[in-house]
Coordinates of all heavy atoms in Angstrom, one line a residue:
M1 N -8.7 1.4 14.0 CA -8.6 2.8 13.9 C -8.1 3.2 12.5 O -7.2 2.6 12.0 CB -7.6 3.4 14.9 CG -7.4 4.9 14.8 SD -6.2 5.6 16.0 CE -6.9 5.1 17.5
S2 N -8.8 4.1 11.8 CA -8.4 4.5 10.5 C -7.1 5.3 10.5 O -6.6 5.8 11.6 CB -9.4 5.4 9.8 OG -9.5 6.7 10.4
F3 N -6.4 5.4 9.4 CA -5.2 6.1 9.3 C -5.4 7.6 9.6 O -4.7 8.2 10.4 CB -4.7 6.0 7.8 CG -3.2 6.3 7.6 CD1 -2.5 5.4 6.8 CD2 -2.6 7.3 8.2 CE1 -1.1 5.7 6.6 CE2 -1.2 7.6 8.1 CZ -0.5 6.7 7.2
Q4 N -6.5 8.1 9.1 CA -6.9 9.5 9.4 C -7.1 9.7 10.9 O -6.7 10.7 11.5 CB -8.1 10.0 8.6 CG -8.4 11.5 8.8 CD -7.3 12.3 8.2 OE1 -7.0 12.2 7.0 NE2 -6.7 13.2 8.9
A5 N -7.7 8.7 11.6 CA -7.9 8.8 13.0 C -6.6 8.9 13.8 O -6.5 9.6 14.8 CB -8.8 7.7 13.5
Y6 N -5.6 8.1 13.3 CA -4.3 8.2 13.9 C -3.8 9.6 13.9 O -3.3 10.2 14.8 CB -3.3 7.3 13.2 CG -3.1 5.9 13.8 CD1 -3.8 4.8 13.4 CD2 -2.2 5.7 14.8 CE1 -3.7 3.6 13.9 CE2 -2.0 4.5 15.4 CZ -2.7 3.4 14.9 OH -2.6 2.2 15.5
L7 N -3.9 10.2 12.7 CA -3.4 11.6 12.5 C -4.1 12.6 13.4 O -3.6 13.5 14.0 CB -3.4 12.0 11.1 CG -2.5 11.2 10.1 CD1 -2.7 11.7 8.7 CD2 -1.1 11.2 10.5
D8 N -5.4 12.4 13.5 CA -6.3 13.3 14.3 C -5.9 13.1 15.8 O -5.8 14.1 16.5 CB -7.7 13.0 14.1 CG -8.3 13.4 12.7 OD1 -7.6 14.1 12.0 OD2 -9.4 12.9 12.4
N9 N -5.6 11.9 16.2 CA -5.2 11.7 17.6 C -3.9 12.3 17.9 O -3.6 12.9 19.0 CB -5.1 10.2 17.9 CG -6.5 9.6 18.1 OD1 -7.5 10.3 18.3 ND2 -6.6 8.3 17.9
I10 N -3.0 12.3 17.0 CA -1.6 12.9 17.1 C -1.8 14.4 17.3 O -1.2 15.1 18.2 CB -0.7 12.6 15.9 CG1 -0.4 11.2 15.9 CG2 0.5 13.5 15.9 CD1 0.2 10.7 14.6
E11 N -2.7 15.0 16.5 CA -3.0 16.4 16.6 C -3.6 16.8 18.0 O -3.2 17.8 18.6 CB -4.0 16.9 15.5 CG -4.3 18.4 15.5 CD -5.2 18.8 14.4 OE1 -5.5 18.0 13.5 OE2 -5.6 19.9 14.4
D12 N -4.5 15.9 18.5 CA -5.1 16.1 19.8 C -4.0 16.1 20.9 O -4.0 16.9 21.8 CB -6.1 15.1 20.1 CG -7.4 15.2 19.4 OD1 -7.7 16.3 18.9 OD2 -8.2 14.2 19.3
K13 N -3.1 15.2 20.8 CA -2.0 15.0 21.8 C -1.0 16.1 21.7 O -0.5 16.5 22.8 CB -1.4 13.6 21.6 CG -0.3 13.3 22.6 CD 0.3 11.9 22.5 CE 1.4 11.8 23.5 NZ 1.3 10.6 24.3
T14 N -0.6 16.5 20.6 CA 0.6 17.4 20.4 C 0.2 18.8 20.1 O 1.0 19.8 20.3 CB 1.5 16.9 19.3 OG1 0.8 17.0 18.1 CG2 2.0 15.5 19.6
G15 N -1.0 19.1 19.6 CA -1.4 20.4 19.1 C -0.9 20.8 17.8 O -1.0 21.9 17.3
L16 N -0.2 19.8 17.1 CA 0.4 20.0 15.8 C -0.3 19.2 14.7 O -0.6 18.1 15.0 CB 1.9 19.7 15.8 CG 2.8 20.5 16.8 CD1 4.2 19.8 16.8 CD2 2.9 21.9 16.3
T17 N -0.5 19.8 13.6 CA -1.1 19.1 12.5 C 0.0 18.3 11.8 O 1.2 18.5 11.9 CB -1.7 20.1 11.4 OG1 -0.6 20.8 10.8 CG2 -2.7 21.1 12.0
P18 N -0.5 17.3 11.0 CA 0.5 16.5 10.2 C 1.3 17.4 9.3 O 2.5 17.1 9.2 CB -0.4 15.5 9.4 CG -1.6 15.4 10.3 CD -1.8 16.7 10.9
R19 N 0.8 18.4 8.7 CA 1.5 19.3 7.8 C 2.6 20.0 8.6 O 3.7 20.2 8.1 CB 0.6 20.3 7.2 CG 1.3 21.3 6.3 CD 1.2 21.1 4.8 NE -0.1 20.7 4.3 CZ -0.3 19.8 3.3 NH1 0.8 19.2 2.8 NH2 -1.5 19.5 2.9
Q20 N 2.4 20.4 9.9 CA 3.4 21.0 10.7 C 4.5 20.0 11.0 O 5.7 20.4 11.0 CB 2.8 21.6 12.0 CG 1.9 22.8 11.7 CD 1.1 23.2 12.9 OE1 0.4 22.4 13.6 NE2 1.2 24.5 13.3
F21 N 4.1 18.8 11.3 CA 5.2 17.7 11.5 C 6.0 17.5 10.3 O 7.2 17.3 10.4 CB 4.5 16.4 11.9 CG 4.3 16.3 13.4 CD1 3.0 16.4 13.9 CD2 5.4 16.2 14.3 CE1 2.8 16.3 15.3 CE2 5.2 16.1 15.7 CZ 3.9 16.2 16.2
I22 N 5.4 17.6 9.1 CA 6.2 17.4 7.8 C 7.2 18.6 7.8 O 8.4 18.3 7.4 CB 5.3 17.4 6.6 CG1 4.4 16.1 6.6 CG2 6.0 17.6 5.3 CD1 3.3 16.1 5.6
G23 N 6.8 19.8 8.1 CA 7.7 20.9 8.1 C 8.9 20.7 9.0 O 10.0 21.0 8.7
L24 N 8.6 20.3 10.3 CA 9.6 20.1 11.3 C 10.6 19.0 10.8 O 11.8 19.1 11.1 CB 8.9 19.7 12.6 CG 8.2 20.8 13.3 CD1 7.4 20.3 14.5 CD2 9.1 22.0 13.7
A25 N 10.0 17.9 10.3 CA 10.8 16.8 9.8 C 11.8 17.3 8.7 O 12.9 16.9 8.6 CB 10.0 15.7 9.3
K26 N 11.2 18.1 7.8 CA 12.1 18.6 6.7 C 13.2 19.5 7.2 O 14.3 19.4 6.7 CB 11.2 19.4 5.7 CG 11.9 19.9 4.5 CD 11.0 20.5 3.5 CE 11.8 20.9 2.3 NZ 10.9 21.3 1.2
E27 N 12.9 20.3 8.2 CA 14.0 21.1 8.9 C 15.1 20.2 9.4 O 16.3 20.6 9.4 CB 13.4 21.9 10.0 CG 12.6 23.1 9.6 CD 11.9 23.8 10.8 OE1 12.2 23.5 11.9 OE2 11.0 24.6 10.5
R28 N 14.8 19.0 9.8 CA 15.8 18.1 10.4 C 16.4 17.2 9.3 O 17.2 16.3 9.7 CB 15.2 17.3 11.5 CG 14.9 18.1 12.7 CD 13.9 17.4 13.7 NE 13.7 18.2 14.9 CZ 13.0 19.3 15.0 NH1 12.4 19.8 14.0 NH2 12.8 19.9 16.2
G29 N 15.9 17.3 8.1 CA 16.4 16.4 7.0 C 15.8 15.0 7.0 O 16.3 14.2 6.3
F30 N 14.8 14.8 7.8 CA 14.1 13.5 7.8 C 13.4 13.2 6.5 O 12.9 12.0 6.4 CB 13.2 13.4 9.0 CG 13.9 13.3 10.3 CD1 13.4 13.9 11.5 CD2 15.2 12.7 10.5 CE1 14.0 13.8 12.7 CE2 15.8 12.6 11.7 CZ 15.3 13.2 12.8
D31 N 13.1 14.1 5.7 CA 12.4 13.8 4.4 C 13.4 13.3 3.4 O 12.9 12.8 2.3 CB 11.7 15.1 3.9 CG 12.7 16.2 3.6 OD1 13.7 16.3 4.2 OD2 12.3 17.1 2.7
D32 N 14.7 13.3 3.6 CA 15.6 12.7 2.7 C 15.4 11.2 2.5 O 15.1 10.5 3.5 CB 17.1 12.9 3.2 CG 18.1 12.5 2.3 OD1 18.3 11.3 2.1 OD2 18.7 13.4 1.7
P33 N 15.4 10.7 1.2 CA 15.1 9.3 1.0 C 16.0 8.3 1.7 O 15.6 7.2 1.9 CB 15.3 9.2 -0.6 CG 15.1 10.6 -1.1 CD 15.6 11.5 0.0
S34 N 17.2 8.8 2.1 CA 18.1 7.8 2.7 C 17.8 7.7 4.2 O 18.3 6.7 4.8 CB 19.5 8.3 2.6 OG 19.7 9.5 3.3
V35 N 16.9 8.5 4.8 CA 16.6 8.4 6.2 C 15.6 7.3 6.4 O 14.6 7.3 5.8 CB 16.1 9.8 6.7 CG1 15.7 9.7 8.2 CG2 17.1 10.9 6.6
K36 N 16.0 6.4 7.4 CA 15.1 5.3 7.7 C 14.1 5.8 8.8 O 14.2 6.8 9.4 CB 15.9 4.1 8.3 CG 17.0 3.6 7.3 CD 16.3 2.9 6.2 CE 17.5 2.3 5.3 NZ 17.0 1.8 4.1
A37 N 13.1 4.9 9.0 CA 12.0 5.2 10.0 C 12.6 5.4 11.4 O 12.0 6.2 12.2 CB 10.9 4.2 9.9
G38 N 13.5 4.6 11.8 CA 14.0 4.6 13.2 C 14.4 6.0 13.8 O 13.9 6.3 14.9
P39 N 15.2 6.8 13.1 CA 15.5 8.1 13.7 C 14.3 9.0 13.8 O 14.2 9.8 14.7 CB 16.5 8.6 12.7 CG 17.1 7.5 12.0 CD 16.0 6.5 11.9
I40 N 13.3 8.9 12.9 CA 12.1 9.7 12.9 C 11.3 9.3 14.1 O 10.8 10.1 14.9 CB 11.3 9.6 11.6 CG1 12.2 10.1 10.4 CG2 10.1 10.4 11.7 CD1 11.6 9.8 9.1
V41 N 11.1 7.9 14.3 CA 10.3 7.4 15.4 C 10.9 7.8 16.7 O 10.2 8.3 17.6 CB 10.2 5.9 15.3 CG1 9.6 5.3 16.6 CG2 9.4 5.5 14.1
E42 N 12.2 7.8 16.8 CA 12.9 8.2 18.1 C 12.7 9.7 18.3 O 12.5 10.1 19.5 CB 14.4 7.8 18.0 CG 15.2 8.1 19.3 CD 14.7 7.2 20.4 OE1 14.1 6.1 20.2 OE2 14.8 7.7 21.6
W43 N 12.8 10.5 17.3 CA 12.6 11.9 17.5 C 11.2 12.2 18.0 O 10.9 13.0 18.9 CB 12.8 12.6 16.1 CG 12.2 14.0 16.0 CD1 12.5 15.1 16.8 CD2 11.3 14.5 15.1 NE1 11.7 16.2 16.4 CE2 11.0 15.8 15.3 CE3 10.6 13.8 14.0 CZ2 10.1 16.6 14.5 CZ3 9.7 14.6 13.2 CH2 9.5 15.9 13.5
L44 N 10.2 11.5 17.4 CA 8.8 11.7 17.8 C 8.5 11.2 19.2 O 7.7 11.8 19.9 CB 7.9 11.1 16.7 CG 7.9 11.7 15.3 CD1 7.2 10.8 14.3 CD2 7.3 13.1 15.4
K45 N 9.2 10.2 19.6 CA 9.1 9.7 20.9 C 9.7 10.6 21.9 O 9.0 11.0 22.9 CB 9.7 8.3 21.0 CG 9.7 7.7 22.4 CD 10.5 6.4 22.4 CE 10.5 5.8 23.8 NZ 11.3 4.6 23.9
Q46 N 10.9 11.0 21.7 CA 11.6 11.9 22.6 C 11.0 13.3 22.7 O 10.8 13.8 23.8 CB 13.1 12.1 22.2 CG 13.9 10.8 22.3 CD 14.0 10.3 23.7 OE1 14.2 11.1 24.7 NE2 13.8 9.0 23.9
D47 N 10.6 13.9 21.6 CA 10.2 15.3 21.7 C 8.6 15.4 21.9 O 8.2 16.5 22.4 CB 10.5 16.0 20.4 CG 12.0 16.3 20.3 OD1 12.8 15.8 21.1 OD2 12.4 17.0 19.3
Y48 N 7.9 14.4 21.5 CA 6.4 14.5 21.5 C 5.7 13.4 22.3 O 4.5 13.4 22.4 CB 5.9 14.6 20.1 CG 6.4 15.8 19.4 CD1 7.5 15.7 18.5 CD2 5.9 17.1 19.7 CE1 8.0 16.8 17.9 CE2 6.5 18.2 19.0 CZ 7.5 18.1 18.2 OH 8.1 19.2 17.6
G49 N 6.5 12.4 22.8 CA 5.9 11.3 23.5 C 5.0 10.4 22.7 O 4.1 9.7 23.3
L50 N 5.2 10.3 21.4 CA 4.4 9.5 20.6 C 4.9 8.0 20.6 O 6.1 7.8 20.6 CB 4.4 10.0 19.1 CG 3.8 11.3 18.9 CD1 3.8 11.7 17.4 CD2 2.3 11.4 19.4
G51 N 4.0 7.1 20.6 CA 4.3 5.7 20.5 C 4.6 5.3 19.1 O 4.4 6.1 18.2
R52 N 5.0 4.0 18.9 CA 5.5 3.6 17.6 C 4.4 3.7 16.6 O 4.6 4.1 15.4 CB 6.0 2.1 17.7 CG 6.5 1.6 16.4 CD 7.4 0.4 16.6 NE 7.8 0.0 15.3 CZ 8.8 0.5 14.6 NH1 9.5 1.5 15.1 NH2 9.2 0.0 13.4
G53 N 3.2 3.2 16.9 CA 2.1 3.3 15.9 C 1.8 4.7 15.4 O 1.7 4.9 14.1
H54 N 1.7 5.6 16.3 CA 1.4 7.0 15.9 C 2.6 7.6 15.1 O 2.4 8.3 14.1 CB 1.0 7.8 17.1 CG -0.4 7.5 17.6 ND1 -0.6 6.5 18.5 CD2 -1.6 8.0 17.3 CE1 -1.9 6.5 18.7 NE2 -2.5 7.4 18.0
A55 N 3.8 7.3 15.6 CA 5.0 7.8 14.9 C 5.1 7.2 13.5 O 5.4 7.9 12.6 CB 6.2 7.4 15.7
M56 N 4.8 5.9 13.3 CA 4.8 5.3 12.0 C 3.8 6.0 11.0 O 4.0 6.1 9.8 CB 4.7 3.8 12.1 CG 5.9 3.1 12.6 SD 7.4 3.4 11.8 CE 7.1 2.6 10.2
A57 N 2.7 6.4 11.6 CA 1.7 7.1 10.7 C 2.3 8.4 10.2 O 2.2 8.7 9.0 CB 0.4 7.4 11.5
L58 N 3.0 9.1 11.1 CA 3.7 10.3 10.6 C 4.9 10.0 9.7 O 5.1 10.8 8.8 CB 4.2 11.1 11.8 CG 3.1 11.9 12.6 CD1 3.6 12.6 13.8 CD2 2.5 12.9 11.7
V59 N 5.6 8.9 10.0 CA 6.7 8.5 9.0 C 6.1 8.4 7.6 O 6.7 8.9 6.7 CB 7.3 7.2 9.5 CG1 8.2 6.7 8.4 CG2 8.2 7.5 10.8
H60 N 4.9 7.8 7.5 CA 4.3 7.6 6.2 C 4.1 8.9 5.5 O 4.5 9.1 4.4 CB 3.0 6.8 6.3 CG 2.3 6.7 5.0 ND1 2.6 5.7 4.1 CD2 1.4 7.6 4.3 CE1 1.8 5.9 3.0 NE2 1.1 7.0 3.1
V61 N 3.5 9.9 6.2 CA 3.2 11.2 5.5 C 4.4 12.0 5.3 O 4.5 12.7 4.3 CB 2.1 12.0 6.2 CG1 0.8 11.2 6.2 CG2 2.5 12.4 7.6
I62 N 5.4 11.8 6.1 CA 6.7 12.5 6.0 C 7.4 12.0 4.7 O 7.9 12.8 3.9 CB 7.6 12.4 7.2 CG1 7.0 13.2 8.4 CG2 9.0 12.9 6.9 CD1 7.6 12.9 9.7
K63 N 7.5 10.7 4.6 CA 8.2 10.1 3.5 C 7.4 9.9 2.2 O 8.0 9.9 1.1 CB 8.7 8.7 4.0 CG 9.6 8.7 5.2 CD 10.9 9.5 5.0 CE 12.0 8.5 4.5 NZ 13.2 9.2 4.2
K64 N 6.1 9.7 2.3 CA 5.3 9.3 1.1 C 4.2 10.3 0.8 O 3.6 10.1 -0.3 CB 4.7 7.9 1.3 CG 5.8 6.8 1.5 CD 5.2 5.5 1.6 CE 6.3 4.4 1.8 NZ 5.7 3.1 1.9
G65 N 3.9 11.2 1.7 CA 2.9 12.2 1.4 C 1.5 11.7 1.8 O 1.4 10.7 2.5
P66 N 0.4 12.3 1.4 CA -0.9 12.0 1.9 C -1.6 10.9 1.3 O -2.7 10.5 1.8 CB -1.7 13.3 1.7 CG -1.0 13.9 0.4 CD 0.5 13.5 0.6
K67 N -1.1 10.3 0.2 CA -1.8 9.2 -0.4 C -1.6 7.9 0.3 O -0.5 7.6 0.8 CB -1.3 9.0 -1.9 CG -1.8 10.0 -2.8 CD -3.2 9.9 -3.1 CE -3.7 10.8 -4.2 NZ -5.1 10.6 -4.5
I68 N -2.7 7.1 0.5 CA -2.6 5.8 1.1 C -3.1 4.7 0.2 O -3.8 5.1 -0.8 CB -3.4 5.7 2.5 CG1 -4.8 6.1 2.3 CG2 -2.7 6.6 3.5 CD1 -5.7 5.8 3.5
D69 N -2.9 3.5 0.5 CA -3.3 2.4 -0.4 C -4.9 2.3 -0.4 O -5.5 2.4 0.6 CB -2.8 1.1 0.2 CG -3.0 -0.1 -0.7 OD1 -4.0 -0.2 -1.4 OD2 -2.1 -0.9 -0.8
A70 N -5.4 2.3 -1.6 CA -6.9 2.3 -1.8 C -7.6 1.1 -1.2 O -8.8 1.1 -1.1 CB -7.2 2.5 -3.2
K71 N -6.8 0.0 -0.8 CA -7.5 -1.2 -0.4 C -8.2 -1.0 1.0 O -9.1 -1.7 1.3 CB -6.5 -2.3 -0.2 CG -5.5 -2.2 1.0 CD -4.5 -3.3 1.0 CE -3.6 -3.2 2.2 NZ -2.6 -4.3 2.2
H72 N -7.9 0.1 1.7 CA -8.6 0.4 2.9 C -9.7 1.4 2.8 O -10.5 1.6 3.7 CB -7.6 0.9 4.0 CG -6.5 -0.1 4.3 ND1 -6.8 -1.2 5.0 CD2 -5.2 0.0 4.1 CE1 -5.7 -1.9 5.2 NE2 -4.7 -1.2 4.6
V73 N -9.9 1.9 1.6 CA -10.9 2.9 1.4 C -12.3 2.3 1.2 O -12.4 1.4 0.3 CB -10.6 3.8 0.2 CG1 -11.7 4.8 -0.1 CG2 -9.2 4.5 0.4
G74 N -13.2 2.7 2.0 CA -14.6 2.1 1.9 C -14.7 0.7 2.3 O -15.8 0.1 2.2
S75 N -13.7 0.1 2.9 CA -13.8 -1.3 3.3 C -14.6 -1.4 4.6 O -14.9 -0.4 5.2 CB -12.4 -1.9 3.5 OG -11.7 -1.3 4.6
S76 N -14.8 -2.6 5.1 CA -15.6 -2.7 6.3 C -14.7 -3.0 7.5 O -15.2 -3.2 8.6 CB -16.6 -3.8 6.1 OG -15.9 -5.1 5.9
G77 N -13.4 -3.0 7.3 CA -12.4 -3.3 8.4 C -12.3 -2.1 9.3 O -12.7 -1.0 9.1
T78 N -11.6 -2.3 10.5 CA -11.4 -1.3 11.5 C -10.4 -0.2 11.0 O -10.4 0.9 11.6 CB -10.9 -1.9 12.8 OG1 -9.7 -2.6 12.5 CG2 -11.9 -2.8 13.4
H79 N -9.6 -0.5 10.0 CA -8.6 0.5 9.5 C -9.1 1.2 8.2 O -8.3 1.8 7.5 CB -7.3 -0.2 9.2 CG -6.7 -0.8 10.4 ND1 -6.2 0.0 11.5 CD2 -6.5 -2.1 10.8 CE1 -5.7 -0.8 12.4 NE2 -5.9 -2.1 12.0
R80 N -10.4 1.2 8.0 CA -10.9 1.8 6.8 C -10.8 3.3 6.8 O -11.0 3.9 7.9 CB -12.3 1.4 6.5 CG -13.3 1.9 7.4 CD -14.7 1.4 7.2 NE -15.7 1.9 8.1 CZ -15.9 1.4 9.3 NH1 -15.2 0.4 9.7 NH2 -16.8 1.9 10.1
D81 N -10.6 3.9 5.7 CA -10.7 5.4 5.6 C -11.7 5.8 4.5 O -12.0 5.0 3.6 CB -9.3 5.9 5.1 CG -8.3 6.0 6.3 OD1 -8.4 7.0 7.0 OD2 -7.5 5.1 6.5
E82 N -12.1 7.0 4.6 CA -13.1 7.5 3.6 C -12.5 7.8 2.3 O -13.2 7.9 1.3 CB -13.8 8.7 4.2 CG -14.6 8.4 5.5 CD -15.7 7.4 5.3 OE1 -16.4 7.5 4.3 OE2 -15.8 6.6 6.2
S83 N -11.2 8.1 2.2 CA -10.6 8.5 1.0 C -9.2 8.0 1.0 O -8.6 7.6 2.0 CB -10.5 10.1 1.0 OG -9.7 10.6 0.0
D84 N -8.6 7.9 -0.2 CA -7.2 7.5 -0.3 C -6.2 8.6 -0.1 O -5.0 8.5 -0.3 CB -6.9 6.8 -1.7 CG -7.0 7.7 -2.9 OD1 -7.5 8.9 -2.7 OD2 -6.6 7.3 -4.0
T85 N -6.7 9.8 0.2 CA -5.9 11.0 0.5 C -6.2 11.5 1.9 O -7.3 11.8 2.2 CB -6.2 12.1 -0.5 OG1 -6.0 11.6 -1.9 CG2 -5.3 13.3 -0.3
L86 N -5.1 11.5 2.7 CA -5.3 11.9 4.1 C -5.3 13.5 4.2 O -4.7 14.2 3.4 CB -4.1 11.4 4.9 CG -3.9 9.9 4.9 CD1 -2.5 9.5 5.4 CD2 -5.0 9.3 5.8
W87 N -6.0 14.0 5.1 CA -6.1 15.4 5.4 C -5.0 15.8 6.3 O -4.9 15.3 7.5 CB -7.5 15.8 5.9 CG -7.6 17.3 6.1 CD1 -7.6 17.9 7.3 CD2 -7.8 18.2 5.1 NE1 -7.7 19.3 7.1 CE2 -7.8 19.5 5.7 CE3 -7.8 18.2 3.7 CZ2 -8.0 20.7 5.0 CZ3 -8.0 19.4 3.0 CH2 -8.1 20.6 3.7
L88 N -4.1 16.7 5.9 CA -2.9 17.0 6.7 C -2.9 18.3 7.4 O -2.0 18.7 8.1 CB -1.6 16.9 5.8 CG -1.4 15.6 5.1 CD1 -0.2 15.7 4.2 CD2 -1.3 14.4 6.0
D89 N -4.0 19.1 7.1 CA -4.0 20.5 7.6 C -4.9 20.7 8.8 O -5.3 21.9 9.1 CB -4.5 21.4 6.4 CG -3.5 21.4 5.3 OD1 -2.3 21.6 5.6 OD2 -3.9 21.3 4.2
G90 N -5.1 19.7 9.6 CA -5.8 19.9 10.9 C -7.2 19.5 10.8 O -7.9 19.8 9.8
K91 N -7.7 18.8 11.8 CA -9.0 18.2 11.7 C -10.1 19.3 11.8 O -11.2 19.1 11.2 CB -9.2 17.2 12.8 CG -9.1 17.7 14.2 CD -9.2 16.6 15.2 CE -9.3 17.2 16.6 NZ -9.8 16.2 17.5
D92 N -9.8 20.4 12.4 CA -10.8 21.5 12.5 C -10.9 22.3 11.1 O -11.9 23.0 10.9 CB -10.5 22.5 13.6 CG -10.6 21.9 14.9 OD1 -11.4 20.9 15.1 OD2 -10.0 22.4 15.9
N93 N -10.0 22.0 10.2 CA -10.0 22.7 8.9 C -10.5 21.8 7.8 O -10.5 22.1 6.6 CB -8.6 23.2 8.5 CG -8.1 24.3 9.5 OD1 -8.9 25.1 9.9 ND2 -6.9 24.2 9.8
R94 N -10.9 20.5 8.2 CA -11.2 19.6 7.1 C -12.5 20.0 6.5 O -13.5 20.4 7.1 CB -11.4 18.2 7.8 CG -11.5 17.1 6.8 CD -11.6 15.7 7.5 NE -10.4 15.5 8.3 CZ -10.4 15.0 9.5 NH1 -11.5 14.7 10.1 NH2 -9.2 14.9 10.2
P95 N -12.5 19.9 5.1 CA -13.8 20.3 4.4 C -14.9 19.4 4.6 O -14.7 18.3 4.9 CB -13.3 20.4 2.9 CG -12.0 19.7 2.9 CD -11.5 19.6 4.2

């Protein structure tokens, strides 16, 4: 599954876009560089029922933004993405 597909699945499950999760995380101080992944994963599990894989996808965009490693872009693997920039504003709004 591509990184973008993880984010799209999270939106399907929760009704929230990745950008909305970034805002919620910022309100809780989870965007602070000193915050580790564990507390964020636990929050996403408790409040939204997300498993570790989906939660870690959100941890990435919360802590590092929409850019991903270009090694997966255009590759033939199962985790390939079309772009090195993830779309955070909802799958129905994707250009």
Side-chain angles (χ1 to χ4, degrees):
M1 176 182 302
S2 73
F3 203 137
Q4 187 66 57
Y6 264 95
L7 298 178
D8 292 348
N9 286 340
I10 292 165
E11 184 179 350
D12 287 341
K13 180 174 177 131
T14 66
L16 297 171
T17 67
R19 179 107 38 222
Q20 289 170 308
F21 274 108
I22 291 168
L24 292 169
K26 186 173 183 170
E27 288 174 9
R28 289 163 176 75
F30 289 145
D31 61 332
D32 186 284
S34 67
V35 175
K36 303 288 185 194
I40 301 170
V41 169
E42 187 60 28
W43 162 60
L44 294 169
K45 177 183 177 183
Q46 291 298 315
D47 289 8
Y48 299 98
L50 296 180
R52 181 163 180 79
H54 287 88
M56 288 303 293
L58 283 174
V59 167
H60 175 88
V61 297
I62 290 165
K63 302 296 271 178
K64 298 180 180 180
K67 287 287 191 180
I68 59 171
D69 192 322
K71 71 180 179 180
H72 297 296
V73 176
S75 69
S76 60
T78 58
H79 296 293
R80 71 182 177 279
D81 278 279
E82 298 298 318
S83 169
D84 68 348
T85 304
L86 300 166
W87 183 255
L88 304 180
D89 294 315
K91 61 184 192 165
D92 291 337
N93 296 321
R94 193 174 299 132

